[in-house]
Amino acid sequence: MRWLVGWSSTADGRGKHGTFGGYDTYGGPDAYAGHGERGGAVGPDGETMHPVGSHLLWGDPDPLWAVGDWRPDEVRVVRADERTRIAVLGMCGASDEQLRVGLLAARGGALRHLTAWPGSYTAVVQVGRRITVCGDLAGARPVFHTPWAGGTAYATAALPLADLVEANLDYGHLAALLAAPDVPAALLDSTPYDGVRRIPPGHALILRAGAREIAGYEPVASIAVAAAPVDPDRAVDGVRDALVEAVRARLSAPRHVPGADIDPGPVPGMGPAERRAARGMPVPGIGADLSGGPASGTLALLAAGLPGMPGTVLGHGTGAGERLLAVTFNDLAVGGQEAELERAGALAANPRLHHVVVAGAEDTLPYADLDGPLTDEPGPSLVTTARHRARLAAGSADHFTGYGARQVLDAHPARLADLLMDRKRRHLVRPVAALTKADGSVFVPARVYGAARRLARTPYRTGVESLAERLRDRRFDDFGSAVGASLAALAWGSPGPAARWLTGEALAEVSVRLESAATRSGGGPGERPGDHRARAALARAAGDLRVLEQAAEIRFQRLHTPFLDNQVVRACRALPETLRVQPGARAAILRTVLKGAGVADLPPGWGAPSQSTATAAARAGLRVAADSLLGLFDTPLLAEAGLVEARVVRTAVRSAAAGEPLPLDGLADLVSLELWLRRLLSRRGTCWTGTPARARAVPAGIAPLRSALSSGGERGRGAGWGWLVRRRVRVRVRVRVRVCGGVAQFPAALRQVSAGLSCTVPRCCRSA
């Protein structure tokens, strides 16, 4: 893992926080020599604390560290004067002069300039005692913060902050991850660690002498005025230009030879390539996925077609010269990929591509290998770590992937309601016709149109409260068909696939969070429902990709996801909705992008959907790993936390392994969260060093159920919403009482409720 971490204190940097150094160099002896005096902090027990494996970027009085195996070209610090400087960490295509211009613009308050360069990076600006940390638009590079020592600590990972403040688990957030993972109102700005907060995508964290402020740098479209008409051709040209710039920024970066300085030397019977494979290191140079799908194929062809030398370094690895290494994964355990493999082979006929096919057996199925490293947060990709690691191990040191293309280019079903709000009904004909053809029922058009019309007329607060009521009543969606999934998505929020297996207390906790968020938000997020749901789906996909990068990480390898770059996301958001909702829009857009870049010869069937293969692999993996999964849920930590019942989950695993139609995504959510909890509680180390004490997250382990999920009143039995659900009593009470003589006439049912809500009803009225 790689992250940056720092803090902003209320003091002048001396005394309570120690004395910080002011070095602006990355690496070298002066960068982190003498951390105890120049880059540390005095902890609560008087010890000097600093991140493990850190490099000090600047110090006194608000220090900033880079932690992990950053490359030298991935960390850049540019300064205008002694107290005005900018640090950019990651893949950034801006020159030093552009960074300096952006720094001067940020000094005047213009933050958007810091997010408009090609690449994927995090920018930190310090102007005097004001510190600005910019997150990205997709959520692949989030920013976290937490109060600490009278100021605010921030980082691009949540676990270091949780270690710093010894945070316990946030069980409400974990319940929301299972019950409503695509609903921002349920997750809010929380993380799995209590007290550690997340900056929403498209926002920046601004710190002034320890005081924090969250500011958005991206304009939000109004729901009262229809969007301005956009020329589809110009919008697609913008996507092409953004993608080409994103790929070119990666190609122009310095090339890296993994492990060149730690090669143990000759081994009898093994050449350089065999030694590299035995150490699990990638091939030097640049490569790309080539799955036969439109997203990865577009990136591979763009990288191979741009001027320059895109591929492996001459004399290393495959000996393919400057050809781009294209990796295709062939799942032999499932099959059914013949068409994709044929398309990938046709694309790999390009003379600038060197094609490698990685064969996968049963040991690469989902759930096959449940061992892995601890990630910053949980994510569904934890169950497919072995599958991705087998593919990435054959990749290059810089590897292009097509993750995120579906979320930034495709239309969320809720966008049909946006079209109705803009009075563009005729553009619903083709998507509704495609659903009708897939389902075969003549009632599909009326059902879809009615659901879209209801969503267009439903206020945000009403939609969120309706979702909260559905969770309390355990009313879940039909997941068996494309039409059922589309109808379920035509709402401000939908229950997650794992919600049906949660306990009543967990669902009640999420419903309370939803209702509280709806009350606080007032008129809503200021977005149309389709745009709101699409942004939430993108944020969840980007977060899961971040988990995948950490879980399946290959040493010295960097995964590049150009579709999640800020400029590419902006260009894709400029696409008109009338173009997005058409069937096959993603393949058509990318075909136009390639044609504009000079690539016109594509194989037949390019861009055909292939989700059925992933579903078949997940079901096969469940069938093979059923025994190990049942053992995992013999005494699950999720049950100890009160989120699920072990018996219910074991029954679901047996049913899914037997082939019954169950939401496999929900089981993946449950298994991945259980794995993450076990890895978190079994860890021995910490992200901070110092003597005599070492801070660590979740020091108390799993808390008891009632203290974790009680929502109001006294903790324990008979308090909060959990008490109401256990007794199957669902009453919403708003009481305004004037006590006259100490007696009030309450119905018997209300007296029963008031016995549990002792903090809201006067004692004299409860005795009536």
Side-chain angles (χ1 to χ4, degrees):
M1 291 175 60
R2 291 169 298 278
W3 64 84
L4 63 88
V5 60
W7 55 67
S8 175
S9 61
T10 56
D12 61 353
R14 303 177 186 274
K16 186 174 183 179
H17 282 91
T19 303
F20 304 105
Y23 295 98
D24 283 342
T25 57
Y26 173 74
D30 292 337
Y32 59 105
H35 268 171
E37 295 78 27
R38 298 172 180 171
V42 179
D45 296 331
E47 73 278 12
T48 301
M49 303 173 60
H50 60 82
V52 175
S54 61
H55 301 274
L56 184 65
L57 298 183
W58 63 59
D60 190 9
D62 303 313
L64 176 66
W65 289 276
V67 185
D69 58 337
W70 293 95
R71 294 172 176 173
D73 58 289
E74 290 178 331
V75 180
R76 300 159 64 190
V77 178
V78 175
R79 57 191 304 169
D81 53 52
E82 184 64 26
R83 301 296 296 152
T84 304
R85 47 198 171 187
I86 180 174
V88 177
L89 290 86
M91 177 62 245
C92 181
S95 63
D96 288 348
E97 183 60 29
Q98 289 175 315
L99 292 182
R100 189 170 288 105
V101 172
L103 172 60
L104 297 178
R107 183 169 61 180
L111 301 181
R112 199 171 187 270
H113 293 72
L114 304 176
T115 66
W117 300 309
S120 178
Y121 56 89
T122 302
V124 183
V125 173
Q126 184 183 44
V127 180
R129 294 302 310 277
R130 187 184 70 188
I131 297 176
T132 303
V133 190
C134 293
D136 64 339
L137 289 176
R141 286 183 169 270
V143 178
F144 305 90
H145 66 92
T146 186
W148 183 74
T152 300
Y154 62 91
T156 54
L159 183 58
L161 299 183
D163 281 346
L164 182 65
V165 300
E166 298 185 356
N168 289 312
L169 291 172
D170 186 345
Y171 296 93
H173 178 85
L174 298 181
L177 280 179
L178 297 174
D182 289 330
V183 184
L187 299 174
L188 300 174
D189 61 346
S190 61
T191 66
Y193 312 100
D194 190 19
V196 180
R197 300 298 176 183
R198 181 196 314 269
I199 304 300
H203 288 70
L205 175 65
I206 303 175
L207 304 174
R208 294 180 177 89
R212 59 186 175 274
E213 174 190 353
I214 300 174
Y217 57 79
E218 201 71 6
V220 179
S222 173
I223 63 175
V225 181
V230 179
D231 182 20
D233 295 335
R234 293 186 59 184
V236 174
D237 290 344
V239 174
R240 179 201 62 204
D241 295 341
L243 274 177
V244 169
E245 286 299 319
V247 174
R248 182 179 286 117
R250 271 85 173 180
L251 294 180
S252 61
R255 304 300 169 84
H256 297 271
V257 179
D261 55 339
I262 61 172
D263 194 333
V267 177
M270 296 180 64
E274 287 78 9
R275 294 200 303 270
R276 177 197 59 77
R279 294 195 305 269
M281 293 186 180
V283 176
I286 298 180
D289 283 342
L290 189 63
S291 64
S296 62
T298 297
L299 296 178
L301 293 175
L302 285 178
L306 289 177
M309 297 180 293
T312 57
V313 179
L314 189 61
H316 296 279
T318 63
E322 307 303 339
R323 290 193 291 170
L324 186 82
L325 180 64
V327 180
T328 300
F329 184 78
N330 182 17
D331 193 349
L332 300 178
V334 177
Q337 294 180 280
E338 292 77 10
E340 285 193 15
L341 292 174
E342 185 178 352
R343 289 193 294 269
L347 292 173
N350 189 317
R352 302 197 72 182
L353 290 176
H354 176 67
H355 196 204
V356 174
V357 179
V358 178
E362 284 191 354
D363 57 345
T364 61
L365 285 172
Y367 307 99
D369 184 6
L370 299 182
D371 294 329
L374 173 65
T375 57
D376 190 41
E377 296 181 278
S381 59
L382 289 179
V383 302
T384 58
T385 299
R387 190 177 188 84
H388 293 290
R389 188 183 292 118
R391 170 177 54 86
L392 296 175
S396 300
D398 291 276
H399 199 74
F400 285 97
T401 62
Y403 291 111
R406 185 185 306 274
Q407 285 75 26
V408 299
L409 289 174
D410 285 6
H412 194 278
R415 288 192 182 272
L416 298 180
D418 296 356
L419 293 178
L420 289 181
M421 296 175 69
D422 293 340
R423 301 182 182 275
K424 298 178 180 179
R425 297 180 179 86
R426 62 186 181 89
H427 295 284
L428 273 68
V429 175
R430 290 185 59 189
V432 171
L435 288 174
T436 304
K437 183 179 179 181
D439 187 82
S441 173
V442 296
F443 300 102
V444 169
R447 295 172 62 194
V448 173
Y449 181 81
R453 188 178 181 183
R454 283 193 300 271
L455 176 58
R457 297 182 174 185
T458 301
Y460 171 78
R461 180 171 178 175
T462 302
V464 173
E465 290 178 346
S466 175
L467 174 60
E469 184 177 354
R470 291 177 59 189
L471 290 176
R472 286 197 300 270
D473 295 341
R474 305 189 71 89
R475 291 186 284 113
F476 305 117
D477 302 315
D478 176 23
F479 59 89
S481 63
V483 175
S486 299
L487 292 175
L490 284 167
W492 280 104
S494 303
R500 67 192 67 239
W501 295 304
L502 297 186
T503 61
E505 288 189 329
L507 294 177
E509 172 73 15
V510 179
S511 68
V512 171
R513 290 169 66 100
L514 288 169
E515 291 181 335
S516 301
T519 303
R520 289 194 302 266
S521 62
E527 296 174 320
R528 299 168 183 270
D531 192 34
H532 178 75
R533 292 297 304 271
R535 291 173 189 257
L538 174 61
R540 190 193 182 200
D544 190 45
L545 170 64
R546 181 169 170 265
V547 173
L548 170 63
E549 288 180 328
Q550 299 169 6
E553 182 179 20
I554 304 297
R555 193 179 183 188
F556 300 113
Q557 186 180 66
R558 298 291 187 269
L559 294 185
H560 298 285
T561 55
F563 284 102
L564 297 181
D565 288 3
N566 285 340
Q567 289 299 83
V568 178
V569 172
R570 288 190 179 104
C572 293
R573 286 179 178 176
L575 293 170
E577 293 177 345
T578 56
L579 177 62
R580 288 175 177 271
V581 298
Q582 306 309 321
R586 173 161 42 104
I589 292 171
L590 294 179
R591 187 186 296 270
T592 306
V593 167
L594 288 175
K595 185 177 180 180
V599 181
D601 190 13
L602 297 175
W606 185 81
S610 57
Q611 283 296 101
S612 58
T613 305
T615 303
R619 193 169 293 280
L622 271 173
R623 185 171 59 253
V624 173
D627 293 338
S628 60
L629 293 179
L630 292 175
L632 181 69
F633 284 97
D634 275 341
T635 55
L637 297 177
L638 289 176
E640 186 178 346
L643 300 180
V644 301
E645 293 184 7
R647 172 186 54 82
V648 174
V649 179
R650 289 196 298 267
T651 301
V653 170
R654 294 192 189 95
S655 301
E660 295 186 16
L662 292 176
L664 302 182
D665 293 345
L667 288 176
D669 292 340
L670 288 173
V671 174
S672 60
L673 185 53
E674 176 68 23
L675 290 175
W676 182 81
L677 287 174
R678 288 174 180 262
R679 295 172 188 176
L680 178 66
L681 296 182
S682 63
R683 67 191 287 250
R684 295 178 179 272
T686 176
C687 298
W688 298 85
T689 184
T691 56
R694 305 182 74 188
R696 181 176 175 181
V698 198
I702 299 295
L705 165 67
R706 294 184 178 90
S707 64
L709 292 180
S710 296
S711 302
E714 299 175 356
R715 298 289 187 180
R717 180 178 177 87
W721 280 100
W723 177 84
L724 296 177
V725 175
R726 283 197 299 271
R727 285 157 178 76
R728 301 182 182 274
V729 178
R730 301 184 181 95
V731 183
R732 182 179 301 173
V733 184
R734 290 184 179 179
V735 183
R736 185 175 298 174
V737 181
R738 291 184 179 178
V739 179
C740 182
V743 178
Q745 299 297 324
F746 276 68
L750 191 54
R751 288 202 305 271
Q752 184 181 8
V753 173
S754 65
L757 302 178
S758 57
C759 60
T760 58
V761 180
R763 182 177 301 275
C764 58
C765 298
R766 263 185 282 124
S767 62

